[in-house]
Amino acid sequence: MAIPSQLKTEYENLYKTCQIRIERLSIIDSIIDKIISNKKQYKAVENSTKVPWHVIATIHNLESSLSFTTHLHNGDPLSAKTIQVPVNRPQGNPPFTWIESAIDALEYDGLSDWTDWSIIGIAYKLETYNGMGFRKYHPEIKSPYLWSFSNHYIKGKYAFDGKFDPNLISEQCGGIVLLKRMEERGLIDLSDNEVAPMPIVTWLELYRKEQSGTAYPVLVAHAGSMPIEVVELKNKSTQDFVDFIAKYPTAQTFLVASSTKPIPNSIIPSVIVVPASGVVLSTLTKILRWGTIGDEVKELQTALNALGFDAGKVDGEFEDKTERAVKAFQLKYGLLIDGEVGPLTWEKLGGKAQDKISDDASAPINLKLAAFAASEAAKQLVWNGANSDAEKYLEPLREPMRKLDHIGSDKVYYDWCAAFVTYCCRQVGIDIPDQPSGFWATMALVESWQYWAKQKGYWYPRGSTKPQRGDIVTFDWYPDTGGEFNHIGIVRGYQGGSTVETAEGNKSNQSGNFTRSLSFISGIVRIR
């Protein structure tokens, strides 16, 4: 939804002329101090929703007075689902953690789909979040939800829904005033644009390449005259071809290149970057993200600074400036832009990662799952017999399948995409049964995941929600035929738009990280 130009001008002028009332400064600063002490919680929600942490904290103060025992939706206790509007949230079974409830609240109100986090965009979303009652019925008063404790507000507020009192004074700090003070203290920069967007792909081109007597297709995505991505389809997979096209819905033209036209190079480098100035990276042992402290963070900061990405002071503390530098690096080198450093980003920097990466015990389970699955899928393991490395995915469900007479005693191949998901979940501590209670098949069957998720309250049917990091998604390659459960994977990240980044097993009998069209998703399993 576009912000009306008149409102843009108004918000901009109000922010420029906003003066915080001196007698309210100590109250505002005490609120901010409490927010900063809990910043890690807000960052965890930001990682799942892409809503900036300071906006989440502002809403938390306005709606729940910074209480971590109540729902962000409306202040109801986390021990049960919400009773007030919106009722019966979140999905799943109580009690809920504050983080999972906050993620649900932001998604329910559409904030996770919003992308304009300038001061104008924030002001607009806060005002619409609270309601346009002042603007519609009392335009002479600026909404205290935004401007209380500033020169833009004196008195007048709703005592309760539908009942306005012109003499009542808000004793709550307005959201924009709170952000203004945070910016004055140097805690946020509302003028900062962290990462420039990638150019929009406008057309696709198909080439033919010959190598060692074998010919195969090469697909190129272009933004105007600039090649954005070049992919060689050496296995000639029709599904890979379809996935590539679905990745770029903005492309309006598809051309077949002449046999004499040279294949261009992508602007996204496919080679590992060697850090400048002799920077040597040790073996990565854990996921690095906002809040991580230690020597590996120092190495990361040194490497980023040497490559021209300003990670700030090399102090071993992974905070805002380091996170911005990581995102800028990920954008430039064609990685998933999540601001976290796992094996893929570390290796692109020139380092190596140990086979099994640990994660912060306090990290939300969905972030642990997304990080682990991405690392595991990047190994690109193939099953070609009982001694294959990929057998570790298949083996745990063999005995439960034998007991049901679904397979014999030989270690034969079976479709193992769901076994890969089961393995990843169990490795990060999620309790996945061998077989859902009352169902006829094991968790090796994709349909079993829907049955189990419905039992647990984790199931979201097609189109009912947008994917989030750490979600499990089922795919229907043929939505017109009602197949529904052809494949399953784990969401590594969702940047908005029509595609999602996934980690999967058994894609042409191999694990890997992929980009999928949202149109193929038949359902989402959201474990929190």
Side-chain angles (χ1 to χ4, degrees):
M1 179 184 294
I3 305 174
S5 58
Q6 183 178 351
L7 278 184
K8 287 183 178 181
T9 302
E10 178 184 325
Y11 289 138
E12 185 175 21
N13 290 336
L14 286 171
Y15 190 73
K16 285 180 179 179
T17 58
C18 178
Q19 296 178 14
I20 299 173
R21 296 188 180 279
I22 294 177
E23 68 273 17
R24 299 290 196 176
L25 269 179
S26 61
I27 297 175
I28 299 173
D29 281 339
S30 66
I31 294 171
I32 292 173
D33 291 343
K34 188 173 181 180
I35 286 172
I36 296 303
S37 69
N38 290 292
K39 185 175 176 180
K40 194 171 184 178
Q41 297 241 54
Y42 302 125
K43 289 295 292 187
V45 178
E46 178 189 277
N47 285 338
S48 291
T49 63
K50 305 305 177 187
V51 179
W53 71 270
H54 47 272
V55 176
I56 299 167
T58 299
I59 295 172
H60 189 209
N61 182 61
L62 290 165
E63 295 294 326
S64 306
S65 300
L66 301 183
S67 170
F68 286 97
T69 63
T70 60
H71 288 290
L72 187 62
H73 310 69
N74 53 25
D76 287 346
L78 291 171
S79 56
K81 292 191 175 189
T82 57
I83 299 173
Q84 303 177 74
V85 175
V87 299
N88 207 33
R89 303 296 302 184
Q91 291 194 24
N93 298 315
F96 301 99
T97 67
W98 181 84
I99 289 175
E100 63 188 354
S101 173
I103 291 171
D104 183 77
L106 296 173
E107 185 186 64
Y108 180 86
D109 283 293
L111 290 174
S112 58
D113 294 327
W114 188 251
T115 58
D116 180 4
W117 296 114
S118 65
I119 190 61
I120 293 173
I122 294 172
Y124 179 71
K125 288 310 287 184
L126 286 180
E127 188 163 13
T128 55
Y129 187 91
N130 183 244
M132 291 291 199
F134 281 93
R135 190 169 293 278
K136 289 181 179 178
Y137 306 114
H138 305 282
E140 72 284 0
I141 299 175
K142 301 303 178 189
S143 171
Y145 197 81
L146 276 65
W147 305 108
S148 181
F149 289 15
S150 81
N151 60 316
H152 294 319
Y153 173 80
I154 299 176
K155 64 180 180 178
K157 65 169 290 191
Y158 284 90
F160 48 85
D161 287 349
K163 178 61 177 178
F164 180 77
D165 186 336
N167 296 310
L168 201 59
I169 299 174
S170 172
E171 293 298 327
Q172 182 180 53
C173 179
I176 298 300
V177 176
L178 184 65
L179 292 169
K180 178 90 171 182
R181 181 57 178 164
M182 291 176 74
E183 188 169 40
E184 288 178 350
R185 288 178 55 176
L187 300 172
I188 58 174
D189 182 359
L190 295 175
S191 65
D192 181 46
N193 295 314
E194 293 186 0
V195 178
M198 285 290 288
I200 296 175
V201 170
T202 53
W203 60 288
L204 306 175
E205 193 171 21
L206 176 65
Y207 290 80
R208 182 177 185 270
K209 184 173 182 178
E210 292 189 12
Q211 190 175 47
S212 303
T214 302
Y216 55 86
V218 177
L219 284 168
V220 181
H222 296 270
S225 61
M226 183 167 50
I228 298 298
E229 184 176 12
V230 179
V231 173
E232 297 181 350
L233 302 180
K234 292 184 177 181
N235 62 0
K236 304 176 185 178
S237 166
T238 301
Q239 188 58 56
D240 287 346
F241 187 94
V242 172
D243 288 345
F244 185 87
I245 294 174
K247 183 178 178 180
Y248 296 110
T250 55
Q252 300 296 309
T253 306
F254 187 96
L255 300 178
V256 178
S258 68
S259 59
T260 57
K261 186 176 181 180
I263 300 173
N265 294 318
S266 169
I267 66 166
I268 302 175
S270 59
V271 297
I272 292 178
V273 178
V274 179
S277 304
V279 177
V280 178
L281 298 176
S282 61
T283 300
L284 185 70
T285 61
K286 61 185 179 183
I287 301 296
L288 309 180
R289 62 167 65 92
W290 194 96
T292 305
I293 298 174
D295 290 339
E296 286 174 313
V297 177
K298 287 184 178 179
E299 294 178 17
L300 169 67
Q301 292 167 329
T302 301
L304 289 169
N305 285 337
L307 287 165
F309 300 93
D310 184 9
K313 182 181 177 182
V314 179
D315 56 7
E317 298 182 9
F318 197 131
E319 294 191 340
D320 294 347
K321 202 161 189 177
T322 302
E323 185 180 60
R324 285 196 294 270
V326 169
K327 288 181 177 180
F329 175 84
Q330 291 171 328
L331 172 66
K332 183 173 181 180
Y333 292 103
L335 298 164
L336 175 67
I337 306 168
D338 58 9
E340 297 182 0
V341 179
L344 298 181
T345 299
W346 195 253
E347 289 168 8
K348 190 68 79 171
L349 282 164
K352 293 183 179 180
Q354 66 182 24
D355 185 60
K356 189 171 182 179
I357 299 293
S358 64
D359 207 338
D360 183 354
S362 65
I365 195 65
N366 61 307
L367 298 188
K368 290 182 182 179
L369 180 58
F372 180 85
S375 173
E376 194 65 32
K379 298 174 183 177
Q380 297 184 310
L381 300 185
V382 176
W383 192 92
N384 52 21
N387 295 322
S388 306
D389 289 338
E391 174 62 19
K392 67 180 179 180
Y393 308 136
L394 288 75
E395 175 60 28
L397 293 174
R398 287 193 183 279
E399 184 59 29
M401 293 172 73
R402 289 191 195 102
K403 290 180 179 179
L404 295 171
D405 291 326
H406 291 173
I407 60 173
S409 58
D410 294 338
K411 292 188 175 182
V412 298
Y413 169 90
Y414 68 83
D415 289 334
W416 51 276
C417 59
F420 172 84
V421 173
T422 302
Y423 175 86
C424 290
C425 287
R426 289 174 173 176
Q427 288 298 305
V428 299
I430 299 173
D431 184 17
I432 303 297
D434 291 332
Q435 179 182 5
S437 176
F439 198 62
W440 62 272
T442 71
M443 297 300 278
L445 183 72
V446 178
E447 191 173 352
S448 298
W449 281 84
Q450 183 206 37
Y451 188 91
W452 174 77
K454 285 184 174 180
Q455 285 183 327
K456 303 289 288 185
Y458 297 153
W459 180 253
Y460 290 76
R462 184 197 302 269
S464 62
T465 187
K466 294 290 181 64
Q468 298 174 1
R469 293 184 67 196
D471 282 350
I472 297 164
V473 287
T474 60
F475 294 103
D476 180 3
W477 301 140
Y478 314 101
D480 293 336
T481 63
E484 289 195 20
F485 304 109
N486 304 127
H487 192 56
I488 193 169
I490 297 167
V491 176
R492 296 182 292 125
Y494 175 60
Q495 306 292 335
S498 61
T499 60
V500 63
E501 307 296 325
T502 60
E504 303 169 20
N506 197 36
K507 172 63 172 64
S508 302
N509 194 30
Q510 186 177 40
S511 63
N513 290 313
F514 303 97
T515 300
R516 300 294 193 190
S517 170
L518 294 184
S519 64
F520 291 135
I521 294 178
S522 57
I524 291 176
V525 180
R526 181 164 295 155
I527 303 171
R528 297 289 189 268

